[in-house]
Amino acid sequence: MANDYTEMWSSLGLNVQAHQGLLGVLSDAYQNIYLSQQDRPEGMKYFDFVISEVHGQRIVEIVKKKMEGKPIIGTFCVYVPEELILAVDGISIGLCAGADVGTDEAEKYLPRTTCALIKAFMGFKLAGLCPYVESTDLIVGETTCDGKKKAYEILNEVTGKVYVMELPNMKNDESRVLWKKEVHKFARKLSEITGIEITLERLREASSAVNGKRKALQRLSALRSHDPAPISGLDALLINQVSFYDDPVRFTSQVNSLCDEIEERVKAGTGVAAKGTPRVLISGSPMAIPNWKLHAVVEGSGAVVVGEESCVGERNFSTLFDRSFSSVDETIDAIADRYMTINCACFTPNDARIEDIEDMIKRLHADGLVHYALQFCTPYMVEAYRVRQAINGGRFPFLGIETDYSMEDMGQLKTRIEAFVEMIKEGSRS
Ligand code: BJ8
């Protein structure tokens, strides 16, 4: 990090010493996993910079906005409508965490058998490691999985600023009515804390910014369908992770410039791996920053990751919201409908997720599917069975992984993934 931000971190209430340790580990991991990659597009330099300043420059920007009276809204789930946050001039920040720091603190409140993502966001807060959570005016939770919704009760005890949206678990007419009411209620809550009335014009502008971001990510996703793969899965994952932190307009412009460069690579036949390298689709639990573990192992085993059927991936951007309406109420109803197109394993039944996976396999020309579930993430662990059965009657190459954020199972993961990649190669030879 170019500047010394110690004063800012300390004024936010961080544990400065422990935080320095975390940044050191993050920087080493980034060096080893990201900066050691070959033939990366030039446009990745922006994202390298963002990561190098993830607790620096971006926090300076956020604190400045906060001082100007803009609300900082933390979220944990892609069902929370970003359009509404932007419509009150808010800044939306994803608070999920992807490293097993603060676990000891988290386990004072949570059972050991809690998914790593929940332990991490609780641990980051409790150990004083997250400048984002400390900057927020409101933290928005949702009734998705049981672990999250119970953890939000404790997070509220600790922070006093958690607001929970009730997300139904089915997609029938009654559930849609409930969800629409929840989205309207959230819009009122945002107006209440900011004093800003949500108007049609504000909704139009906000939707256009969010859609711009989604379109850029869709463009990037489409470019990954080419062989040779023009960008690594690791880099694409990073871009998706950064989409939850960065300023949306700047982010969109950077992703579009990168896509211009990638289009040139595609024309020239330039790739990050040789043509014919086994192509893997990853599907399942989200991978919050800096969780790069699975992509690093897959791409270190002679395959390339070509897509993520995940909330840090396709689920976040696959549906646009680009219709216009004549009233605020109608627009908010339609925004609620747009979010109901996301297919999280917290829903039952969830057949549409399987269709999404099948579609991605075809569109991205995947040769195999790695299903990723965080340990103790029951929705994705259980749904793995239906995914495996569905894809090509169980004949499409499938590998089910259950892991956490620790490095303890790296050897075992590597062995299983190398065998899987070898199996894909054998299949394509026969
Ligand atoms: S829409 S996936 S972001 S809920 S990994 S905490 S599910 S036990 S994060 Fe999620 Fe919204 Fe669904 Fe996406 Fe629970 Fe599983 Fe942990 Fe999870």
Side-chain angles (χ1 to χ4, degrees):
M1 231 171 266
N3 299 313
D4 182 0
Y5 300 106
T6 315
E7 214 178 295
M8 175 179 72
W9 293 328
S10 140
S11 70
L12 285 169
L14 297 194
N15 177 337
V16 174
Q17 206 185 349
H19 181 251
Q20 284 292 7
L22 167 70
L23 292 184
V25 173
L26 180 68
S27 160
D28 289 350
Y30 199 73
Q31 185 74 36
N32 293 336
I33 296 173
Y34 275 89
L35 302 181
S36 62
Q37 293 180 97
Q38 302 296 313
D39 301 322
R40 296 173 80 209
E42 277 292 302
M44 284 311 298
K45 291 216 164 82
Y46 170 73
F47 299 94
D48 292 341
F49 172 75
V50 170
I51 293 300
S52 71
E53 289 288 335
V54 70
H55 283 191
Q57 269 303 314
R58 185 60 180 141
I59 301 298
V60 171
E61 286 180 355
I62 287 173
V63 169
K64 189 162 169 270
K65 296 273 181 203
K66 195 178 165 77
M67 281 159 67
E68 288 165 9
K70 314 269 190 247
I72 314 300
I73 313 290
T75 64
F76 295 98
C77 180
V78 294
Y79 279 96
V80 178
E82 191 177 349
E83 291 86 345
L84 297 182
I85 297 174
L86 298 193
V88 294
D89 295 339
I91 297 181
S92 173
I93 296 290
L95 293 179
C96 291
D100 63 349
V101 288
T103 307
D104 292 348
E105 286 300 314
E107 287 183 0
K108 288 180 189 160
Y109 294 79
L110 301 167
R112 195 187 55 78
T113 51
T114 303
C115 102
L117 187 146
I118 298 173
K119 272 200 251 183
F121 74 66
M122 289 296 289
F124 268 74
K125 165 63 202 158
L126 295 164
L129 296 171
C130 180
Y132 290 99
V133 81
E134 301 307 335
S135 309
T136 52
D137 297 293
L138 189 73
I139 299 177
V140 187
E142 33 19 80
T143 56
T144 45
C145 69
D146 290 349
K148 265 175 148 187
K149 64 191 174 207
K150 299 314 287 179
Y152 294 143
E153 294 172 10
I154 303 170
L155 189 62
N156 192 42
E157 251 177 55
V158 179
T159 64
K161 48 187 176 184
V162 177
Y163 173 90
V164 178
M165 295 183 78
E166 182 172 357
L167 185 76
N169 288 171
M170 296 177 107
K171 292 185 181 174
N172 53 34
D173 291 348
E174 293 80 3
S175 305
R176 285 175 200 281
V177 171
L178 181 143
W179 177 238
K180 278 183 187 165
K181 282 190 182 157
E182 278 299 300
V183 175
H184 280 273
K185 201 163 118 193
F186 180 50
R188 286 197 298 277
K189 175 76 184 174
L190 290 169
S191 287
E192 187 189 300
I193 60 168
T194 57
I196 293 177
E197 188 194 346
I198 297 183
T199 60
L200 211 48
E201 195 43 42
R202 282 181 168 274
L203 284 173
R204 281 203 193 107
E205 263 178 44
S207 303
S208 148
V210 182
N211 269 326
K213 179 160 77 164
R214 290 180 188 136
K215 281 184 189 158
L217 289 167
Q218 286 180 356
R219 190 176 164 207
L220 176 67
S221 169
L223 287 164
R224 295 171 75 189
S225 67
H226 292 278
D227 187 15
I231 183 167
S232 68
L234 270 166
D235 279 340
L237 172 66
L238 184 80
I239 294 165
N240 278 289
Q241 290 173 330
V242 167
S243 75
F244 291 91
Y245 298 83
D246 203 359
D247 172 78
V249 174
R250 179 176 60 204
F251 173 85
T252 301
S253 145
Q254 292 291 338
V255 176
N256 278 323
S257 307
L258 174 73
C259 287
D260 293 343
E261 183 190 348
I262 294 178
E263 276 171 5
E264 293 306 315
R265 290 186 144 220
V266 169
K267 275 188 216 148
T270 308
V272 290
K275 196 172 166 65
T277 297
R279 303 167 66 83
V280 168
L281 177 67
I282 291 182
S283 166
S285 308
M287 293 170 178
I289 210 166
N291 178 8
W292 305 308
K293 181 175 167 179
L294 186 58
H295 281 58
V297 177
V298 171
E299 298 200 323
S301 303
V304 63
V305 177
V306 293
E308 294 79 25
E309 188 281 318
S310 164
C311 291
V312 183
E314 212 84 1
R315 265 182 246 138
N316 184 35
F317 59 75
S318 62
T319 323
L320 299 176
F321 175 73
D322 50 7
R323 293 157 60 205
S324 54
F325 296 88
S326 51
S327 78
V328 169
D329 280 353
E330 250 186 330
T331 312
I332 295 180
D333 277 354
I335 288 175
D337 281 338
R338 182 268 162 204
Y339 281 85
M340 270 285 145
T341 64
I342 299 167
N343 299 313
C344 172
C346 294
F347 278 82
T348 183
N350 194 30
D351 299 338
R353 175 173 170 234
I354 290 166
E355 289 161 22
D356 290 345
I357 294 170
E358 287 170 331
D359 172 61
M360 286 183 77
I361 288 173
K362 285 195 199 102
R363 199 160 30 90
L364 299 168
H365 312 295
D367 302 309
L369 179 80
V370 174
H371 192 279
Y372 167 79
L374 278 174
Q375 264 166 17
F376 313 116
C377 171
T378 313
Y380 286 93
M381 283 166 67
V382 175
E383 204 158 275
Y385 166 80
R386 293 208 57 227
V387 172
R388 172 182 228 142
Q389 294 303 308
I391 50 172
N392 201 12
R395 289 185 302 276
F396 187 78
F398 176 100
L399 179 68
I401 298 284
E402 285 170 18
T403 185
D404 57 16
Y405 292 168
S406 79
M407 293 298 140
E408 279 166 21
D409 61 350
M410 281 298 270
Q412 193 210 43
L413 265 186
K414 212 166 164 26
T415 308
R416 291 186 65 207
I417 289 170
E418 278 171 358
F420 182 64
V421 173
E422 212 32 59
M423 185 189 86
I424 294 175
K425 285 185 186 159
E426 290 289 322
S428 63
R429 279 196 282 267
S430 60

